[in-house]
Structure formats: structure tokens, C-alpha cells
């Protein structure tokens, strides 16, 4: 969005013009902040015009996401430029000093662990029964033998993920799965724990060929991610998530073998995440053999922060797509292939002796954390690599190392309305 690249010079000039006319105006944004957790929303008007908002709402504002001075694309200070304009137009007091209050001291940011990588040494598969049991909290329902509308809201799922599980009926050679009008919003299809493919609502093709190894009675799992509801304009009219238009098998309504679809809500609440077991590996018995789980996985570690607790950023470069928590605080989402954000803001209070459970933007519960360590938890949806690490940084951009990167895909499906670097 070109409006996100207004320079410090242009901003100052526009405000100057408004002040000379004695106009009333508001800065959008003076300070944007962060869309922690699952509250970022989306822009768009229909199924394919869909742009989920990124976690950062920095918006290239004069006050940056972490409370420091905002800078433009040329590294010019927007806060200072704006302050100078206001000082010229705000009558000084009798002694010639400014009426504008002095700037408060900044909360310092730090590259935790001196910028060295931190390995997330424990792994748990999202599809493992023990993980599903911990995350679902009993939020599991049956669709019945025939279900055309499988919207996740119908089963009490409103945020996070929804897992649709069933047994395959009799198949023919070259069987295919179709999501009419597309999933809402991103569906990963697994058969006996093995990934078959991914379908996203902005794709042009909603049909997926099942692998030649798929057989009758195999377990099929469809993991659907709600990437945010459109929060303005005509796109607000249709906001159901999951599979509101059902699933087709070989162009007919998918009729699972047995009692229909089993739908499990995975809202990814902090209180549920704390119960995830982290075994060395976990297996499951499919219809034909014992298999190792593939696909989405949680990665976890605890580490001491010797430098003290200050604001920081966590860099997800090298990962694929997923979510990050620090001390049970949901920092937000990343999608490195699409961009534009690979780096998530970690406020200092998230690193202190308290855990802030932000399950609702209106409710914060505080629990004492007696441990001197911080916990880092990542749900990686696309790249289940056991050796992945994260790195902490002191700023969104430091020198030539831009921690907030813009994807190369010109059809970028993540909204750029909130780019953190102007």
C-alpha cells in the first residue's frame, strides 16, 4: 500500500498545511501497536479478494510499534519531523520554551541472548492424539452422516483451527477432493497422517488429487485455519469459517464412512497449550500400518534471560507458517513465504515474572510465574523440521538486516495495510 510509505518530509508538510488552515485532523496512525493473538482481522470483498492482516499494526507511524521513534523508508525520523512542525505552530510560553511536553525516556530494546540462535529442542505433532486431547478441551462434535454445511462456527469454533476427521469411503482410481467455493481460509489435507496438499481460499483451483496410496477406511484429516474475518466493507456479509460449503469427493457430497465428520475445535488458548505433552516421537495406528505423524508440529523450549527483561523482537526467518507464544502470551502469526512480516514484537512485560493470558482483548488474567526462565512455543504448520531455531533482535530493522521482509510474490495474499517499515 503506497500510503504506508509517506516520508517524514511529506508527513511534516501535510501537517504543516493543515495547521496553516487552522484545520482539525487526526493522525491514522499516530501509534499503531500490535494485533496480538488472533484479533488482526482481514480486508477484502469476496472469496478470492481476501487479505488477512498481519500481526504488526505499526503502520509506519511517528511512534513505532515498540514505542520508539518511527522512521520512513529513508530512515528519516517521523516523530522528530512531526514534533518540529507542532512546536512552530504551538505558541511558546513567555520564556520562549515549548508548550509541548518533554519526551519521556524510552524503554530500551535488546537482542536477547546477544542475537544468537535459540534452538527449540522439544517437538509435539499437532495431529498426535495426545496433543489433540490437550488442545480440544472436549470441544469435539459429530456432523452426522450427511453434512453440507461444515462451518466451524456450527460446532462452536470461532478462532484458531478446526480439525475435520473421518474415514474414507470406497474410492475409485484418481479420486479427488473438492472444496466448493473454497475453504475458509486455508485447508491442509492428511490421509493417515501424511500430507496430501494445501488449498487456500485465494487459489484458483479448489480441487486436490488424493494420493495413489489412499484406500477405503483410511483416516482423513482436514485442518482448517481461520486467518481472520473481514472487518469492513461489503466483505463483512459472509464471515463463516471452516468448510461452510462442505466437501466433495469425486464431485459428489463427501459421505464419510461411519457416523460422519468428527469436528474438533482447536482455539489455541494458552490454558490448553500448557497441557501439550512433548514426547521424543509419537506414533499412531492407521488402517494399514503404524505411521509417524507428519505435518504441523509444536516446538518448545525454556531458556534463561541473563540480560534482564527488555523489549525485543523474535525473528522467524527460516520457518514457514505458524504462530508464536512467549510465556503463554500469543505474539501473533508469521508466514515467511508470503510476508511481509517475519519478525514479531515481544514487549518486556511478556518476559517478566508474570504471564499475561490474553484470550480476549477485553480480559487479561495474571498468573504468577515463579521460574526465572522464559518459555518459547511455536506452532509450525508447513515445515516440521526438528532442528529449527529462533533469533531475537533489538529492532525491526538494524542496518541492512531488515527483519520485516516483503515477499517476492506479486499476488501477496497478506494485507500490506499494516507494514511496519515505512
Amino acid at each position: 500500500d503506497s500510503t504506508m510509505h509517506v516520508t517524514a518530509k511529506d508527513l511534516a508538510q501535510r501537517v504543516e498545511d493543515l495547521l496553516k488552515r487552522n484545520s482539525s485532523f487526526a493522525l491514522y496512525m499516530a501509534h499503531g501497536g500490535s494485533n496480538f493473538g488472533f484479533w488482526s482481522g482481514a480486508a477484502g470483498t469476496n472469496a478470492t479478494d481476501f487479505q488477512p492482516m498481519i500481526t504488526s499494526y505499526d503502520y509506519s507511524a511517528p511512534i513505532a510499534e515498540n514505542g520508539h521513534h518511527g522512521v520512513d523508508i529513508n530512515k528519516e525520523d517521523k516523530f522528530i519531523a512531526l514534533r518540529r512542525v507542532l512546536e512552530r505552530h504551538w505558541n511558546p510560553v513567555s520564556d520562549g520554551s515549548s508548550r509541548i511536553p518533554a519526551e519521556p525516556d524510552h524503554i530500551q530494546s535488546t537482542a536477547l541472548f546477544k542475537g544468537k540462535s535459540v534452538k527449540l529442542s522439544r517437538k509435539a505433532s499437532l495431529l498426535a492424539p495426545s496433543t489433540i486431547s490437550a488442545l480440544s478441551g472436549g470441544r469435539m462434535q459429530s456432523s452426522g452422516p450427511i453434512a453440507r454445511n461444515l462451518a466451524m462456527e456450527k460446532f462452536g469454533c470461532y478462532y484458531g483451527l478446526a480439525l475435520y476427521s473421518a474415514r474414507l469411503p470406497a474410492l475409485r482410481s484418481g479420486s479427488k477432493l473438492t472444496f466448493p467455493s473454497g475453504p475458509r481460509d486455508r485447508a491442509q489435507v492428511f490421509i493417515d497422517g501424511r500430507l496430501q496438499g494445501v488449498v487456500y481460499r485465494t487459489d484458483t483451483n479448489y480441487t486436490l488429487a488424493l494420493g495413489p496410496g489412499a484406500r477405503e477406511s483410511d483416516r482423513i484429516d482436514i485442518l482448517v485455519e481461520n486467518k481472520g474475518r473481514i472487518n469492513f466493507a461489503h466483505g463483512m456479509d459472509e464471515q463463516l469459517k471452516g468448510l461452510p460449503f462442505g466437501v466433495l469427493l469425486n464431485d459428489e457430497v463427501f459421505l464419510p464412512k461411519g457416523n460422519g465428520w468428527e469436528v474438533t475445535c482447536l482455539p489455541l488458548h494458552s490454558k490448553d497449550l500448557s497441557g501439550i505433552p512433548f514426547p521424543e516421537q509419537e506414533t499412531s495406528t492407521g488402517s494399514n500400518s503404524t505411521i509417524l505423524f507428519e505435518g504441523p508440529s509444536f516446538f518448545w523450549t525454556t531458556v534463561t534471560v541473563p540480560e534482564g527483561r527488555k523489549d525485543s523482537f523474535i525473528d522467524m526467518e527460516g520457518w514457514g507458517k505458524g504462530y508464536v507464544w512467549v510465556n503463554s502470551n500469543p505474539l501473533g502469526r508469521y508466514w515467511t513465504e508470503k510476508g511481509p512480516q517475519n519478525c514479531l514484537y515481544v514487549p518486556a512485560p511478556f518476559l517478566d515474572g508474570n504471564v499475561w493470558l490474553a484470550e480476549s482483548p477485553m480480559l487479561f488474567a495474571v498468573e504468577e510465574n515463579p521460574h526465572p526462565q522464559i518459555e518459547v512455543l511455536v506452532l509450525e504448520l508447513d515445515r516440521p523440521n526438528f532442528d529449527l531455531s529462533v533469533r531475537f533482535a533489538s529492532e525491526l530493522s538494524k542496518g541492512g538486516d531488515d527483519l520485516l521482509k516483503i515477499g517476492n510474490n506479486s499476488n501477496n495474499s497478506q494485507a500490506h495495510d499494516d507494514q511496519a517499515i515505512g
Side-chain angles (χ1 to χ4, degrees):
D1 188 336
S2 61
T3 62
M4 304 326 312
H5 295 281
V6 175
T7 66
K9 181 179 179 181
D10 287 343
L11 172 64
Q13 185 59 59
R14 294 181 189 185
V15 172
E16 180 96 47
D17 292 343
L18 290 169
L19 291 172
K20 287 180 177 178
R21 297 170 185 161
N22 199 28
S23 301
S24 298
F25 62 92
L27 294 176
Y28 189 91
M29 302 291 295
H31 170 62
S34 306
N35 293 308
F36 293 121
F38 305 95
W39 295 94
S40 52
T45 58
N46 53 45
T48 56
D49 177 21
F50 176 73
Q51 297 177 316
M53 298 294 185
I54 61 176
T55 294
S56 172
Y57 212 76
D58 183 274
Y59 228 89
S60 187
I63 303 174
E65 184 174 10
N66 62 348
H68 290 194
H69 289 195
V71 298
D72 65 16
I73 199 168
N74 302 314
K75 309 300 182 186
E76 296 293 330
D77 193 310
K78 286 188 168 183
F79 182 88
I80 293 296
L82 184 60
R83 183 183 176 93
R84 286 172 178 167
V85 171
L86 295 176
E87 284 178 334
R88 286 198 298 270
H89 287 268
W90 204 329
N91 294 330
V93 295
S94 57
D95 62 3
S97 61
S98 174
R99 290 181 182 271
I100 296 180
E103 184 179 352
D105 293 335
H106 290 172
I107 297 176
Q108 296 300 312
S109 296
T110 184
L112 297 179
F113 318 109
K114 302 187 185 300
K116 296 180 180 179
S117 295
V118 176
K119 182 177 179 180
L120 277 67
S121 56
R122 303 294 299 276
K123 174 184 177 182
S125 170
L126 173 63
L127 296 181
S130 57
T131 306
I132 294 297
S133 177
L135 294 177
S136 65
R139 293 176 287 267
M140 185 182 301
Q141 298 185 45
S142 173
S143 68
I146 299 177
R148 298 177 184 271
N149 177 4
L150 296 170
M152 60 191 290
E153 292 86 352
K154 181 179 177 181
F155 304 96
C157 312
Y158 301 103
Y159 292 94
L161 311 171
L163 181 66
Y164 299 81
S165 305
R167 293 289 176 179
L168 289 174
L171 300 176
R172 70 188 190 201
S173 178
S175 288
K176 60 183 181 179
L177 204 66
T178 301
F179 300 93
S181 298
R184 297 294 190 272
D185 297 303
R186 188 173 187 261
Q188 295 172 277
V189 180
F190 303 86
I191 293 182
D192 275 354
R194 295 182 173 87
L195 180 66
Q196 304 296 297
V198 180
V199 179
Y200 188 37
R201 68 180 285 173
T202 62
D203 292 344
T204 56
N205 180 17
Y206 297 143
T207 296
L208 184 70
L210 299 183
R215 298 179 178 86
E216 183 179 355
S217 296
D218 282 356
R219 180 184 175 91
I220 180 170
D221 292 296
I222 304 176
L223 183 66
V224 182
E225 179 187 10
N226 170 2
K227 290 188 61 61
R229 291 179 174 84
I230 296 172
N231 48 29
F232 65 94
H234 299 295
M236 294 178 66
D237 296 341
E238 187 273 289
Q239 289 296 300
L240 293 177
K241 295 294 184 177
L243 303 175
F245 307 103
V247 186
L248 304 181
L249 179 63
N250 298 324
D251 299 322
E252 297 182 357
V253 175
F254 191 122
L255 301 178
K257 191 171 185 177
N259 296 322
W261 290 97
E262 183 181 85
V263 184
T264 306
C265 299
L266 305 173
L268 304 178
H269 288 162
S270 297
K271 60 183 177 62
D272 300 326
L273 296 171
S274 63
I276 298 174
F278 283 88
E280 294 301 320
Q281 69 178 25
E282 187 163 356
T283 61
S284 173
T285 302
S287 59
N288 303 308
S289 62
T290 298
I291 60 173
L292 284 175
F293 285 102
E294 299 177 359
S297 297
F298 286 95
F299 295 84
W300 173 85
T301 194
T302 60
V303 63
T304 301
V305 185
E307 302 95 337
R309 283 131 174 91
K310 298 179 180 179
D311 283 358
S312 193
F313 294 85
I314 190 167
D315 183 11
M316 301 308 296
E317 182 71 12
W319 293 71
K321 184 183 192 304
Y323 303 82
V324 183
W325 293 260
V326 170
N327 277 355
S328 298
N329 299 288
L331 298 187
R333 303 180 298 196
Y334 64 91
W335 195 354
T336 58
E337 177 186 351
K338 298 288 187 182
Q341 181 176 14
N342 293 347
C343 193
L344 298 171
Y345 176 45
V346 186
F350 287 6
L351 303 175
D352 64 16
N354 295 321
V355 178
W356 297 75
L357 303 180
E359 308 298 6
S360 162
M362 303 301 292
L363 174 64
F364 289 85
V366 182
E367 294 184 357
E368 290 297 324
N369 178 8
H371 305 291
Q373 298 176 314
I374 64 169
E375 295 185 352
V376 180
L377 178 68
V378 176
L379 171 56
E380 169 58 45
L381 296 175
D382 287 355
R383 299 179 186 171
N385 186 326
F386 190 75
D387 296 321
L388 289 172
S389 301
V390 297
R391 181 172 67 88
F392 288 84
S394 60
E395 299 288 349
L396 275 175
S397 178
K398 188 174 180 63
D401 183 16
D402 288 336
L403 296 178
L404 187 145
K405 299 178 175 64
I406 307 302
N408 294 324
N409 185 354
S410 61
N411 295 318
N412 196 328
S413 60
Q414 299 219 107
H416 287 226
D417 290 349
D418 323 272
Q419 271 177 194
I421 289 182

